[in-house]
Amino acid sequence: MNLRIIALLAAVLPFAAVHLTWLLAASYGHVDWCNPYLDSCTSISATGRQPPASYLFRATMLPAAVILALYWWINYAWLRSLHGGNASVRALRWMLWLGLLASVGLILYVTVLGEAGDAWRFQRRAGTVLFFSFTFLAQLLFAAQLHARAAHVPGAPRLAIAMQALCCLLLALGLLTVVLQAWDGVLYDSVEDAFEWTLSLLLQTNFLLGYLLWRRAGWRLQFVVPR
């Protein structure tokens, strides 16, 4: 069974969802027409708060959360089938659980987006933190385990380095936001949305590298029924 479509959807579907939602929200006047990466004019959340954009956001991001969970489970099964010691198996388990929890965080966030109240606000915030932080950690572990098994995967060394470089860039931007918020809160508020869009784009780029990896590896998943 060829499952490369899972990795491709993990990269493309969330990217398409947030940008199509932004276009729809802007066309209804709910957000400004602008370049959110440069102008920091609207957050990702703001694009999906009001209908009809909210319907599109939920209809695309909830399936995306399931696809991301499948992506991490398949990576776990694949890399575990390759040569590795007990320490590598533990790292892969951490990668899997972090990826699954990130998917749960995305579901928590999407299901209450646009709802008013402190409880819903807390759930959205918790879901955002879970998704971004745990996805980053899972991607970091994936790149490290891929590098350790590079001899068994065609094209893995370059892609592993690219994934690690993206993770370093994500970490640098994350630390920059912390420093900027502590140094000048007003300036941070003016660029916070742009940081959010950029971090999301980098996360999706790492999933795209995962798709390229699956494509080069040329592996297929087989379900074996025990006898």
Side-chain angles (χ1 to χ4, degrees):
M1 181 183 296
N2 191 337
L3 295 179
R4 286 200 299 266
I5 187 64
I6 297 295
L8 183 60
L9 287 174
V12 173
L13 185 56
F15 176 85
V18 296
H19 288 81
L20 290 175
T21 301
W22 169 75
L23 286 173
L24 187 57
S27 67
Y28 275 81
H30 297 154
V31 297
D32 295 331
W33 285 106
C34 59
N35 185 336
Y37 294 96
L38 298 177
D39 300 329
S40 192
C41 51
T42 184
S43 65
I44 294 176
S45 298
T47 65
R49 283 180 186 150
Q50 300 183 60
S54 60
Y55 303 144
L56 175 62
F57 194 77
R58 288 189 176 95
T60 50
M61 292 304 287
L62 288 175
V66 177
I67 288 170
L68 290 172
L70 286 173
Y71 172 84
W72 290 117
W73 177 78
I74 293 170
N75 275 323
Y76 168 78
W78 171 42
L79 292 183
R80 187 169 181 179
S81 70
L82 303 177
H83 178 73
N86 291 332
S88 294
V89 172
R90 287 194 294 270
L92 287 175
R93 286 173 180 164
W94 273 105
M95 179 198 75
L96 174 62
W97 282 109
L98 287 169
L100 293 179
L101 287 173
S103 299
V104 171
L106 183 57
I107 292 172
L108 291 174
Y109 162 76
V110 171
T111 52
V112 297
L113 184 60
E115 300 294 333
D118 292 338
W120 303 130
R121 189 178 301 110
F122 174 79
Q123 181 173 324
R124 285 195 301 272
R125 190 171 301 170
T128 301
V129 172
L130 281 174
F131 174 70
F132 278 99
S133 59
F134 284 7
T135 296
F136 164 74
L137 292 173
Q139 288 180 343
L140 189 63
L141 284 171
F142 180 49
Q145 291 305 305
L146 179 62
H147 184 76
R149 294 165 170 79
H152 303 278
V153 183
R158 290 183 179 180
L159 287 172
I161 291 173
M163 288 179 178
Q164 289 172 332
L166 273 177
C167 287
C168 289
L169 183 55
L170 279 163
L171 179 60
L173 287 176
L175 292 175
L176 179 60
T177 61
V178 174
V179 172
L180 187 59
Q181 187 175 20
W183 176 57
D184 190 336
V186 176
L187 177 60
Y188 171 77
D189 289 340
S190 68
V191 297
E192 179 183 7
D193 293 335
F195 272 115
E196 181 186 43
W197 283 86
T198 302
L199 290 172
S200 178
L201 178 62
L202 292 175
L203 286 179
Q204 297 314 124
T205 302
N206 230 331
F207 286 121
L208 183 60
L209 292 177
Y211 163 72
L212 295 177
L213 174 69
W214 287 19
R215 187 176 177 182
R216 290 187 181 183
W219 61 271
R220 289 175 177 268
L221 182 67
Q222 290 183 340
F223 294 95
V224 180
V225 179
R227 296 183 178 178

